[in-house]
Amino acid sequence: MESEETLPIVVEFTGGLEMLFSDERKHRLSVPARDSKGDAVTVGWLVDYLCEEIMKDNRKEMFVLDGHVRPGILVLINDADWELEGEASYALQPNDNILFVSTLHGG
Amino acid sequence: MAPVPCAICKTSRALIIRPKNHQKLCKGCFITIFEEEIHHTVTTTKLFSRGDRIAIGASGGKDSTVLASVLKTLNERYNYGLELVLLSIDEGIKGYRDDSLETVKRNAVQYDMPLKIVGYDELYGWTMDQVVEAIGKKGNCTYCGVFRRQALDRGAKMLGIKHVVTGHNADDVAETILMNLLRGDLPRLARSTSIVTGDESSEVRRSKPLKYAYEKEIVLYAHHKKLDYFSTECLYSPEAFRGSARSLIKNLERVRPSAILDVVRSGEDMAKLVPEAVTGISHCKSQKVSLSSADGEEEGAAGCGTNGRSSGGEMADMEKKLQEDEEASSREVEITSKVPNGVNGQRHDRIGAKPESRNGVKREPGKKLTRQTLGTCKTCGYMSSQDICKACMLLEGLNKNRPKMEIEIDVEDEESSTLRRKMEGLALTAA
Ligand SMILES: [Zn+2]
Ligand SMILES: [Zn+2]
């Protein structure tokens, strides 16, 4: 059963990643609360969603490699390292701030 | 997941996991421990002396911005008595430096430090845009890197400053160590591990106070302290993004975060096994010092402006050729053995007492080793371990071929291999 329910979240890209997302650092999104199987959406789901729906750049491998966020890109969930929050399995909450920071650019 | 308390203060919520030991820390404790560890590096290596004037090689990028911020903090907190100056290089790449130089200018105000910007055009007569126009995009990072290394030293000299600090971090050092390991270049591997290059007798010393700091923590420090930094990919080096040594490091880090510092420590241990006469590093001093700083090093972030990841092939070719040249000339001198003492700034008191073996060539006792000679370039008079420094070799190629390049401009691959052959010719002449 399809749900109409959505979650308001903020997604930010810094450290050079913003150039993959229309040079826009801050994206206020309203994402579906449930995935196609009816489960609560996770950060892992969000990464796929960003690639498919938000990223206009075709250099996807600069963001995702082998199905994972590219090594060297940090993910912070409400300022906390996502490893403290269960990484990709973290279930998104309303008004979450998800920050992707590249460490691969700039010296 | 339930919030985890900070491992140090036990009260605030942990936001950071330290890659080197998995310690979970709150924002405040992380910032403090990050700064204290840099302080530890600075004091245990006796990096600075009271009254020193220090130029911070500033690109506006994360590493140099964090370096400037931390050094300012520590200088005030521990009363180092340092005079800190920001030194920036303008490679002359239209549009590319505008934003990063603006960032450095803001940093100068934020940190209340004087700023000096030196352009490639004033130093070399060529902007990077003009170099690219002449040789194409391929391989231009070699030029950018070689010019850049001297540019910082020359800029420092213009300011009358004898010590330049750069933002090289543990990931950069690990990457350089791996690259040299993969190339079988143990002498360069050994040199790349030292925190300081050059010594009291050098005109300009270089050091990397962030040598043991994880890139991840540098980015987190900048984030949590809300530092103003700029990030962009170097316009001319899209392939640098995929630098394979860097990817290897980042992949290792994902599986085992301590791997980066482990590689750095392994590199340091390997350096101890390389005879000091070959590396130019003295093991006797409390801080490791590498004699060859002028043009021999290839370091992660030194390659190119803000990106700086070495692109591999092109640079490796250039390095190999220059290296062969260097070795050929040093062999020659070893055979004739006619170089008078002290002519090249070598530390003769430490060198040449015992038999050494390099490239399978046994040396007799008493013969001088000349591999790590630090002389001056015959063309520009600048420090160089060869007669003609790398920058001058590249410049000579550029200046000679200026008209011809304009004709060949659209045959990119052809052109760069043509240039490479010309450079080889020059290298042989220089030897
Ligand atoms: Zn704490
Ligand atoms: Zn020169």
Side-chain angles (χ1 to χ4, degrees):
Chain A
M1 188 192 95
E2 285 285 313
S3 166
E4 300 290 312
E5 208 188 333
T6 59
L7 282 177
I9 57 167
V10 175
V11 178
E12 287 186 77
F13 302 97
T14 65
L17 275 180
E18 54 272 47
M19 73 183 172
L20 296 179
F21 295 87
S22 323
D23 278 317
E24 212 59 64
R25 180 189 166 127
K26 201 169 199 167
H27 297 249
R28 290 176 195 284
L29 304 177
S30 195
V31 300
R34 307 258 152 207
D35 65 15
S36 55
K37 289 183 220 143
D39 296 327
V41 292
T42 62
V43 169
W45 173 91
L46 176 68
V47 169
D48 290 341
Y49 178 85
L50 293 171
C51 283
E52 282 157 27
E53 307 289 333
I54 310 295
M55 195 193 300
K56 305 229 163 50
D57 201 292
N58 53 22
R59 291 171 292 175
K60 300 250 188 293
E61 76 284 355
M62 290 171 91
F63 183 52
V64 173
L65 260 188
D66 305 325
H68 298 278
V69 173
R70 189 188 171 103
I73 294 175
L74 309 181
V75 187
L76 303 189
I77 299 172
N78 302 319
D79 248 5
D81 192 316
W82 75 333
E83 286 178 49
L84 289 161
E85 303 286 347
E87 296 188 61
S89 68
Y90 172 84
L92 292 175
Q93 307 296 317
N95 305 312
D96 271 349
N97 181 296
I98 314 294
L99 170 64
F100 297 90
V101 196
S102 174
T103 68
L104 301 163
H105 299 71
Chain B
M1 280 194 153
V4 183
C6 169
I8 294 178
C9 68
K10 320 276 188 204
T11 50
S12 301
R13 183 184 166 202
L15 294 178
I16 290 113
I17 303 183
R18 303 202 72 194
K20 66 172 173 187
N21 55 13
H22 303 278
Q23 202 177 31
K24 293 166 181 152
L25 300 179
C26 73
K27 179 175 151 180
C29 291
F30 165 71
I31 286 172
T32 305
I33 204 166
F34 182 87
E35 290 165 353
E36 290 310 305
E37 287 183 1
I38 310 299
H39 175 60
H40 179 79
T41 303
V42 165
T43 49
T44 54
T45 58
K46 300 186 174 68
L47 212 49
F48 308 125
S49 307
R50 173 162 293 277
D52 278 356
R53 297 179 71 215
I54 308 290
I56 300 169
S59 66
K62 57 182 165 50
D63 298 307
S64 56
T65 303
V66 166
L67 180 61
S69 170
V70 171
L71 284 184
K72 178 185 171 62
T73 302
L74 296 176
N75 193 32
E76 288 167 4
R77 183 180 300 160
Y78 293 104
N79 196 15
Y80 287 171
L82 303 178
E83 186 186 333
L84 301 168
V85 176
L86 296 172
L87 175 59
S88 290
I89 305 304
D90 186 353
E91 296 89 346
I93 303 175
K94 217 170 215 74
Y96 164 63
R97 273 298 166 194
D98 300 354
D99 294 326
S100 53
L101 288 178
E102 283 312 309
T103 309
V104 179
K105 286 176 194 165
R106 286 196 305 275
N107 290 158
V109 176
Q110 289 153 358
Y111 303 144
D112 189 26
M113 289 179 196
L115 165 66
K116 170 77 186 170
I117 299 172
V118 194
Y120 276 14
D121 48 353
E122 55 183 308
L123 288 177
Y124 304 108
W126 288 77
T127 66
M128 273 313 292
D129 279 341
Q130 290 167 335
V131 170
V132 169
E133 209 173 292
I135 69 158
K137 289 190 179 185
K138 211 178 163 190
N140 72 80
C141 275
T142 302
Y143 289 77
C144 202
V146 167
F147 288 169
R148 187 176 173 74
R149 273 192 292 272
Q150 273 200 7
L152 276 179
D153 291 352
R154 288 179 180 211
K157 222 172 131 182
M158 274 158 76
L159 296 175
I161 292 179
K162 298 176 81 172
H163 191 157
V164 177
V165 290
T166 57
H168 292 96
N169 58 46
D171 295 54
D172 296 326
V173 174
E175 178 190 299
T176 310
I177 288 169
L178 277 186
M179 283 168 63
N180 287 318
L181 185 69
L182 296 173
R183 263 184 222 146
D185 190 342
L186 216 49
R188 184 163 280 130
L189 182 152
R191 288 199 302 276
S192 69
T193 62
S194 38
I195 192 162
V196 183
T197 52
D199 62 3
E200 287 306 325
S201 66
S202 316
E203 284 185 284
V204 180
R205 310 163 74 200
R206 290 281 200 101
S207 67
K208 22 186 193 247
L210 302 182
K211 181 192 166 188
Y212 297 108
Y214 274 76
E215 187 156 62
K216 177 178 176 178
E217 294 200 350
I218 287 170
V219 170
L220 288 175
Y221 183 87
H223 170 73
H224 288 295
K225 280 210 81 170
K226 298 188 166 40
L227 298 185
D228 181 8
Y229 72 95
F230 178 75
S231 33
T232 186
E233 212 178 334
C234 175
L235 289 178
Y236 292 138
S237 62
E239 77 281 5
F241 188 77
R242 281 181 260 278
S244 41
R246 171 114 320 211
S247 299
L248 183 54
I249 289 284
K250 293 296 181 190
N251 281 315
L252 283 171
E253 183 185 25
R254 186 165 64 178
V255 182
R256 206 167 69 98
S258 66
I260 291 177
L261 271 188
D262 291 342
V263 170
V264 173
R265 297 212 174 93
S266 299
E268 290 173 347
D269 287 345
M270 281 188 271
K272 288 178 197 146
L273 301 175
V274 183
E276 69 183 54
V278 174
T279 60
I281 297 171
S282 159
H283 300 312
C284 327
K285 292 182 80 176
S286 60
Q287 62 182 35
K288 287 192 193 140
V289 166
S290 168
L291 277 181
S292 171
S293 66
D295 56 6
E297 306 301 310
E298 180 196 331
E299 296 178 298
C304 181
T306 55
N307 185 299
R309 310 310 176 204
S310 180
S311 56
E314 202 71 27
M315 189 62 174
D317 287 352
M318 182 63 73
E319 287 287 337
K320 185 162 170 274
K321 175 170 29 56
L322 290 165
Q323 170 97 9
E324 284 163 2
D325 166 44
E326 200 172 89
E327 286 183 359
S329 79
S330 87
R331 270 196 299 276
E332 195 180 320
V333 180
E334 277 154 25
I335 294 159
T336 54
S337 208
K338 273 174 187 162
V339 177
N341 266 4
V343 76
N344 44 32
Q346 195 180 358
R347 289 185 177 177
H348 296 281
D349 53 332
R350 298 193 209 284
I351 299 173
K354 55 180 187 284
E356 297 287 352
S357 166
R358 185 169 56 82
N359 298 336
V361 182
K362 288 271 176 230
R363 288 186 184 79
E364 288 166 36
K367 284 268 173 80
K368 277 184 289 295
L369 281 172
T370 47
R371 193 174 183 304
Q372 284 308 312
T373 53
L374 197 58
T376 51
C377 167
K378 281 180 179 163
T379 306
C380 68
Y382 191 76
M383 273 189 294
S384 171
S385 55
Q386 296 155 76
D387 279 356
I388 308 290
C389 75
K390 278 188 196 177
C392 286
M393 273 170 61
L394 294 176
L395 277 176
E396 199 177 329
L398 280 172
N399 293 335
K400 231 184 221 171
N401 295 297
R402 199 191 284 255
K404 202 171 173 201
M405 290 295 171
E406 281 164 10
I407 301 162
E408 289 179 358
I409 195 110
D410 43 4
V411 204
E412 218 173 88
D413 287 14
E414 263 291 310
E415 173 188 307
S416 82
S417 67
T418 304
L419 180 74
R420 206 177 313 145
R421 279 195 298 277
K422 287 189 174 128
M423 298 312 298
E424 275 163 20
L426 281 172
L428 290 171
T429 324

